[in-house]
Amino acid sequence: MDVRRKLAVLADAAKYDASCASSGSRRETPKGGMGNTEGMGICHSYTPDGRCVSLLKILFTNYCVYDCRYCVNRISSDVERAQFSVREVVDLTIEFYRRNYIEGLFLSSGIVKSPDATMAELVEVARSLRIDHGFGGYIHLKVPPGVSRELIARAGPLVDRLSVNVELPTTADLSSLAPEKTLGAIESSMAIMKEQIDESKERTKGMRDRKETFIPAGQSTQMIVGATPATDSQILATATRLYTGHGLRRVYYSAFSPIPHADARLPGKSPPLVREHRLYEADWLVRFYGFQASELVDGTHPNLDLDIDPKLAWALAHREFFPIDVNLADREALLRVPGLGVRNVDRILAMRRHRTLALEDLRKLRVAVRRSLPFLAFAGGSEGARVRTLDSMELRRRVEPAKQLALFESQVAAVGGQL
Amino acid sequence: MIHAAIEPTFEAFREAARPLLASSTPPANVFFEDRRRGQVTLSFGDTPASRSFGDTPELRSQAERTRIKPKKVNVPARAVELAKLASFHRDGDRFELLYRVFYRLTHGEPYLLDVASDADTLRLRRMVQSVKHDEHKMHAFVRFRKVDVVGEAEPWFVAWHRPEHPLLRLTAPFFQRRFPSMRWSLLTPQESVHWDMSELHYGPGVPREDAPPPDAFEEMFLTYYKAIFNPARVNLDVMQAMMPKRFWSTMPETAVIGDLARSADTRVQVMKDGGESASSAFIPKTSSLAVLKDAIPACRACDLCLHATQPVFGELGTAQKPVGTLLESGLFLVGEQPGDEEDKAGRPFIGPAGKVLDRALEEAGIDRSTTYLTNAVKHFKFEPRGKRRIHQRPAYGEVRACRGWLDAELEIVKPKVIVALGSTAAQSFLGKRFQVSKRRGQIEKTRFCDAWVATWHPSAILRAPDESSKERMFEELVADLALAKSSLERAA
């Protein structure tokens, strides 16, 4: 099989992993080499699914000894199989990089022989790129669960990011769809990575010009949404545990997508993509807006509203919290106003030190006034929320976005993170 | 009126603005011109009070005067950073705006930049945002093409790119940092830059026609681009918002976007319908129905076997004398799945629906003992309700999973005429979109046999809302069976 055919097979097999981030790492171009990272990720292209192409995202091989039902590469699937050599992956990465197609490499793999044997090949690719070719671009390796401590220690200084996929939100989901994987093994791999990252931080503590060199962009993970009946509440609870327990930088939610040669235990239909976006929005609210996951979903409302974003849904359910005064409220309270994103809240705070704000100011900042106005008050002004509007049964209809726009907006928001 | 003819760079602007700010020249009186474009005459530029200066004695003397009488002008570092970026904006009046902002910052409004809704601050921020966006898109969308230079061992990488703003000098250092050990050139309509592995050399702009020719390696990138795209998630709006069309002409991958988008729906349908049935892994290679029947209890292609009593395999009518394993003549009838009684007995069509079928076969003049009777799904799917087991329609994934068994039966029996009873059976053959209500009673030529027909499932007749519908559907079932019978006779 020629390299081009392998590339077609092994990129096709890799497309179900949502992550393509190349941010969060700083690396200078090695002397005589090529490639760097400057903190900000770069999306070099976009495919017609609206997803970005930042990294060369491929599998080392799609042969796999596991039989995870949701996975197109499971042993019982009869997809075409292929395997790269280390040299082929290295050459492709370099040739893609020097034409400015990519920021780097995201290499994952089916499990051949054992997790350690597989990981050793991936580490060898990273070593060859960094050491033999002076490659300074971004490298993200997917870690098979259950990999040894030593291999993670070897990979750490070579890569920008490592990730192990949690795959499904609950233990029960895993045992029904991924019989060889357990949450325990997955999380213990995460724990090993966190431990080594912390140790490395400890070593460089107090150094001048300290720069993180061990997995500098941290670890991420991916959860498949909609392949099992798990609720948004369970999904966000697992995400919260991973963020706080294992120090993950990012949890990716990937709406279950139909795969060729699907197993009959999988749902025949994919969940609405908007569900995935609502989860991302909720994730942002928890990480940057001071919300608790339990404020957004709970036992009685285990799933996020698909029609409106979770912040608006929270506001409609907690009208007693409003109106919030633009000129007096603190940052935390302003962040809870629908339509006010982090950036605009910071602008409001800077501006109001010098003058009293009126509705017109918000319009100029392009705040989504229709959505936010009913929840706002302006000290000294007559605009903004009236208790009558807030109590109105019609409020939801007034503030919810037109349906068509909603998905697009939320997708752009999920990329930009401004809610 | 002051006209400053300057190079359109931040440094030149700063040099020119410093003395003007120091002497508190009001912004309304100051205009900047691009020195390289020569003296553009402004409509009110020739008033007696107006002076022009740039690299002129006037400017120098103005600068000298301020040096003699230094008045410190301090612009906050933050403003300098923003102004540096805004100076790359294509708008002709950007330097007037920068001067006005600097003037206001140094003349009583030091907090101006905090007032985000102020018209000047707002415009400055938008300009900066637009420049940063364009800078970022240039970092992203530049596509180097390898050019082999005669007589040189090292290849040369050349890209042509059309930025929205003339910001080549802002972005070139990025490529210098990233590709120091590679010889490259970046061409834009306004200006070009060349890296010789030690220094950047700026040169004149290059028209689109002189862009480098395609690079053979681009085929690899297209292969990657096509493979990494997920047809189940088409979203062209988001793609275009992120990758505006004005950049497409120099990005090789955009040539295949149309094809990818158009074929996406079909690919998803094929993904859902196509591929081998999950049961194929459990099906022995055999030409004997009995061997198949023995193998089916071991099938784990779906989870229905976990709750059902037993699989119900197809049944060859008693009047059929299989020659070897071949059926000589007779109808091949396929139902949905076994019901409660069939599940317990392990035989197809013996419950209430079977009785209806028997009656219909009789009226159509067909002897059941000459037929082959089977189901699309071989296990009973139900929901327990109290002591009763309520029939549940099998999911399409389960139908697909069981298809391997039906294929194996067809392979052995090789029927001339197939009757699909109900939509589950019909969809098992022809895909999820088949609607029995619209396509029943028509002999169709399919890849399974020359005469294939769909009709009502007997249990649909039992469930019909009223007597008259029941009667009508039963008559249609009889008619469709009779149609199948006559097809069979014609074939024989």
Side-chain angles (χ1 to χ4, degrees):
Chain A
M1 192 186 284
D2 69 354
V3 178
R4 188 163 158 204
R5 183 70 210 147
K6 287 185 186 178
L7 178 63
V9 171
L10 294 169
D12 190 87
K15 71 177 162 213
Y16 302 99
D17 215 303
S19 164
C20 198
S22 56
S23 54
S25 185
R26 283 175 188 282
R27 194 181 289 276
E28 277 171 24
T29 311
K31 260 211 149 42
M34 171 179 71
N36 62 347
T37 52
E38 301 192 343
M40 208 202 308
I42 298 177
C43 296
H44 284 271
S45 191
Y46 291 84
T47 43
D49 48 22
R51 296 213 260 190
C52 101
V53 176
S54 184
L55 303 171
L56 172 61
K57 182 161 60 176
I58 46 176
L59 298 196
F60 186 74
T61 175
N62 64 343
Y63 288 100
C64 190
V65 297
Y66 287 171
D67 199 18
C68 308
R69 312 271 190 234
Y70 51 81
C71 183
V72 66
N73 306 311
R74 67 189 187 284
I75 191 167
S76 58
S77 157
D78 61 355
V79 289
E80 185 179 0
R81 305 282 168 169
Q83 174 156 359
F84 278 127
S85 69
V86 170
R87 178 72 193 273
E88 285 165 344
V89 177
V90 168
D91 287 350
L92 277 174
T93 308
I94 300 276
E95 292 302 319
F96 270 53
Y97 196 87
R98 66 204 311 194
R99 287 169 178 78
N100 206 39
Y101 299 158
I102 52 166
E103 283 297 285
L105 173 68
F106 177 7
L107 187 61
S108 179
S109 183
I111 310 298
V112 276
K113 287 184 232 153
S114 68
D116 271 3
T118 307
M119 185 67 187
E121 299 272 22
L122 308 191
V123 173
E124 175 53 20
V125 170
R127 190 208 60 76
S128 177
L129 277 169
R130 289 278 192 248
I131 312 291
D132 304 341
H133 297 268
F135 179 71
Y138 194 94
I139 299 180
H140 176 172
L141 298 185
K142 180 70 62 192
V143 178
V147 142
S148 73
R149 209 168 270 273
E150 292 66 38
L151 274 164
I152 291 175
R154 250 167 63 197
L158 297 169
V159 302
D160 294 283
R161 167 165 283 181
L162 290 180
S163 63
V164 50
N165 279 354
V166 61
E167 310 289 13
L168 296 164
T170 69
T171 306
D173 290 345
L174 269 177
S175 57
S176 75
L177 293 185
E180 289 95 349
K181 290 182 180 166
T182 66
L183 218 47
I186 291 165
E187 291 200 36
S188 85
S189 295
M190 289 178 179
I192 293 172
M193 287 191 257
K194 178 176 194 309
E195 202 183 296
Q196 297 191 2
I197 291 171
D198 290 348
E199 277 170 18
S200 159
K201 282 199 180 127
E202 200 57 41
R203 275 197 301 277
T204 55
K205 208 174 186 173
M207 280 187 190
R208 265 203 316 151
D209 275 346
R210 61 185 281 223
K211 224 176 72 196
E212 205 44 65
T213 53
F214 191 89
I215 322 179
Q219 47 170 331
S220 64
T221 193
Q222 165 168 304
M223 236 187 285
I224 297 161
V225 174
T228 62
T231 61
D232 292 347
S233 173
Q234 289 171 304
I235 291 168
L236 290 172
T238 300
T240 305
R241 191 178 72 237
L242 301 179
Y243 280 128
T244 52
H246 302 300
L248 263 74
R249 293 278 182 89
R250 200 67 204 273
V251 173
Y252 290 93
Y253 307 93
S254 178
F256 164 72
S257 182
I259 52 170
H261 320 289
D263 187 274
R265 288 159 197 84
L266 289 174
K269 250 181 26 201
S270 34
L273 287 185
V274 69
R275 181 175 177 200
E276 179 188 294
H277 292 294
R278 294 292 177 232
L279 283 166
Y280 277 118
E281 289 174 329
D283 188 277
W284 281 94
L285 290 180
V286 171
R287 288 191 299 147
F288 303 112
Y289 286 72
F291 280 85
Q292 301 286 320
S294 55
E295 291 181 274
L296 305 172
V297 277
D298 56 31
T300 44
H301 298 96
N303 288 306
L304 296 166
D305 194 324
L306 294 183
D307 294 330
I308 54 176
D309 73 74
K311 193 163 139 188
L312 184 56
W314 181 86
L316 287 171
H318 295 85
R319 300 187 195 184
E320 71 289 350
F321 183 79
F322 299 96
I324 293 297
D325 195 309
V326 174
N327 287 302
L328 301 172
D330 58 16
R331 188 168 189 274
E332 287 64 36
L334 284 170
L335 283 173
R336 291 194 171 229
V337 177
L340 284 188
V342 171
R343 207 182 306 145
N344 274 333
V345 165
D346 288 340
R347 282 181 189 155
I348 287 169
L349 292 173
M351 205 176 349
R352 75 182 192 191
R353 285 204 297 271
H354 311 291
R355 66 145 117 180
T356 304
L357 302 195
L359 174 59
E360 205 36 45
D361 292 300
L362 298 194
R363 282 195 210 280
K364 284 185 179 153
L365 297 186
R366 295 189 184 158
V367 168
V369 169
R370 192 173 78 104
R371 201 171 351 146
S372 51
L373 191 58
F375 301 98
L376 289 175
F378 295 81
S382 58
E383 303 142 315
R386 291 182 192 96
V387 174
R388 217 183 50 203
T389 327
L390 261 180
D391 287 343
S392 158
M393 301 293 283
E394 293 288 283
L395 181 58
R396 176 170 170 143
R397 196 180 50 76
R398 281 185 48 178
V399 293
E400 77 182 352
K403 286 269 155 62
Q404 272 297 312
L405 229 73
L407 177 62
F408 177 73
E409 268 190 345
S410 74
Q411 286 193 285
V412 173
V415 176
Q418 298 289 324
L419 299 176
Chain B
M1 242 11 106
I2 291 181
H3 285 259
I6 58 168
E7 287 280 328
T9 66
F10 176 73
E11 289 69 28
F13 161 76
R14 180 153 64 179
E15 280 310 305
R18 201 174 270 147
L20 297 171
L21 288 172
S23 60
S24 293
T25 312
N29 296 339
V30 178
F31 296 91
F32 294 89
E33 285 162 15
D34 187 339
R35 207 176 61 168
R36 294 174 316 180
R37 286 188 194 161
Q39 289 293 326
V40 181
T41 313
L42 291 173
S43 56
F44 46 92
D46 291 326
T47 53
S50 82
R51 287 180 291 129
S52 280
F53 71 97
D55 192 13
T56 60
E58 278 100 329
L59 180 59
R60 266 180 254 128
S61 69
Q62 174 101 7
E64 275 152 22
R65 251 181 285 139
T66 46
R67 239 175 259 133
I68 298 161
K69 190 180 66 157
K71 182 177 164 196
K72 235 175 172 229
V73 211
N74 270 331
V75 175
R78 183 158 66 121
V80 172
E81 284 315 304
L82 293 174
K84 275 184 182 166
L85 289 167
S87 66
F88 288 101
H89 200 279
R90 63 173 173 205
D91 278 3
D93 63 344
R94 62 195 182 280
F95 291 116
E96 279 83 17
L97 172 74
L98 292 182
Y99 184 75
R100 201 157 59 240
V101 169
F102 279 18
Y103 185 89
R104 292 178 65 188
L105 283 166
T106 52
H107 291 79
E109 295 178 86
Y111 305 112
L112 179 63
L113 294 180
D114 280 343
V115 185
S117 63
D118 177 273
D120 286 339
T121 309
L122 210 55
R123 174 119 192 269
L124 176 62
R125 295 257 181 214
R126 298 240 160 99
M127 276 187 167
V128 167
Q129 213 175 7
S130 173
V131 167
K132 279 166 91 171
H133 184 257
D134 198 37
E135 176 196 21
H136 188 72
K137 293 299 180 198
M138 184 158 178
H139 292 167
F141 297 155
V142 154
R143 295 282 180 267
F144 283 118
R145 287 175 155 170
K146 191 164 121 179
V147 176
D148 289 307
V149 188
V150 183
E152 291 202 28
E154 285 293 308
W156 183 29
F157 287 85
V158 185
W160 191 90
H161 180 83
R162 191 205 305 274
E164 210 179 334
H165 303 291
L167 41 62
L168 184 67
R169 283 170 195 257
L170 177 64
T171 53
F174 168 86
F175 292 97
Q176 180 190 348
R177 289 192 297 276
R178 175 160 285 200
F179 302 109
S181 53
M182 182 171 110
R183 220 152 68 87
W184 54 263
S185 293
L186 263 175
L187 317 176
T188 75
Q190 302 88 7
E191 204 175 9
S192 60
V193 63
H194 314 276
W195 170 251
D196 62 4
M197 300 205 268
S198 61
E199 253 182 291
L200 290 174
H201 301 277
Y202 288 92
V206 173
R208 168 101 180 82
E209 303 82 74
D210 296 339
D215 171 338
F217 188 80
E218 276 166 16
E219 282 300 317
M220 280 290 195
F221 185 45
L222 292 191
T223 301
Y224 176 67
Y225 185 81
K226 286 190 236 171
I228 204 70
F229 157 64
N230 185 348
R233 302 180 55 123
V234 174
N235 196 330
L236 295 168
D237 289 344
V238 170
M239 178 192 69
Q240 271 192 42
M242 297 300 174
M243 191 166 73
K245 275 196 165 159
R246 63 172 182 275
F247 294 117
W248 287 21
S249 68
T250 50
M251 300 171 72
E253 68 272 31
T254 56
V256 297
I257 287 174
D259 283 347
L260 288 180
R262 268 189 301 278
S263 61
D265 262 3
T266 331
R267 284 174 65 191
V268 173
Q269 201 49 49
V270 168
M271 228 189 267
K272 287 176 177 166
D273 290 346
E276 207 164 324
S277 167
S279 56
S280 52
F282 303 93
I283 299 173
K285 282 256 170 292
T286 176
S287 53
S288 152
L289 289 169
V291 173
L292 281 185
K293 193 175 177 178
D294 286 346
I296 199 167
C299 180
R300 294 290 177 273
C302 74
D303 282 342
L304 293 185
C305 57
L306 300 180
H307 306 287
T309 312
Q310 57 187 316
V312 177
F313 198 66
E315 198 172 270
L316 193 60
T318 49
Q320 283 289 342
K321 295 202 174 56
V323 178
T325 50
L326 257 179
L327 186 76
E328 286 172 324
S329 65
L331 291 175
F332 189 99
L333 296 152
V334 188
E336 180 186 70
Q337 62 169 345
D340 184 65
E341 291 184 35
E342 287 85 358
D343 172 76
K344 289 175 190 148
R347 291 187 53 210
F349 286 105
I350 56 160
K355 302 256 159 23
V356 176
L357 179 65
D358 285 345
R359 208 150 54 78
L361 285 170
E362 202 181 319
E363 288 202 18
I366 299 164
D367 181 356
R368 173 166 169 158
S369 67
T370 66
T371 63
Y372 185 84
L373 268 174
T374 190
N375 283 300
V377 171
K378 308 296 195 240
H379 279 103
F380 180 33
K381 182 175 183 178
F382 60 91
E383 203 180 73
R385 198 168 297 162
K387 284 182 181 167
R388 293 173 60 214
R389 304 193 295 174
I390 307 298
H391 161 273
Q392 262 201 313
R393 197 189 153 100
Y396 190 62
E398 288 153 351
V399 176
R400 287 267 329 128
C402 215
R403 230 343 260 285
W405 293 105
L406 185 59
D407 281 337
E409 288 170 287
L410 288 166
E411 183 61 32
I412 294 170
V413 177
K414 291 196 177 62
K416 293 208 170 60
V417 179
I418 297 173
V419 180
L421 301 162
S423 64
T424 299
Q427 289 176 2
S428 177
F429 286 99
L430 296 186
K432 218 175 169 176
R433 294 191 182 153
F434 191 95
Q435 284 181 289
V436 169
S437 56
K438 297 207 173 122
R439 262 171 83 177
R440 53 149 282 281
Q442 305 164 25
I443 297 288
E444 300 186 39
K445 191 175 161 150
T446 66
R447 61 192 167 91
F448 311 100
C449 65
D450 284 351
W452 182 99
V453 62
T455 184
W456 302 114
H457 193 282
S459 59
I461 296 170
L462 290 172
R463 284 196 305 269
D466 53 69
E467 278 310 312
S468 67
S469 327
K470 275 190 174 98
E471 258 172 53
R472 179 181 53 80
M473 286 167 75
F474 184 76
E475 279 165 22
E476 286 171 349
L477 172 62
V478 172
D480 296 343
L481 288 169
L483 185 67
K485 181 175 178 254
S486 60
S487 290
L488 188 65
E489 285 160 359
R490 264 203 307 279

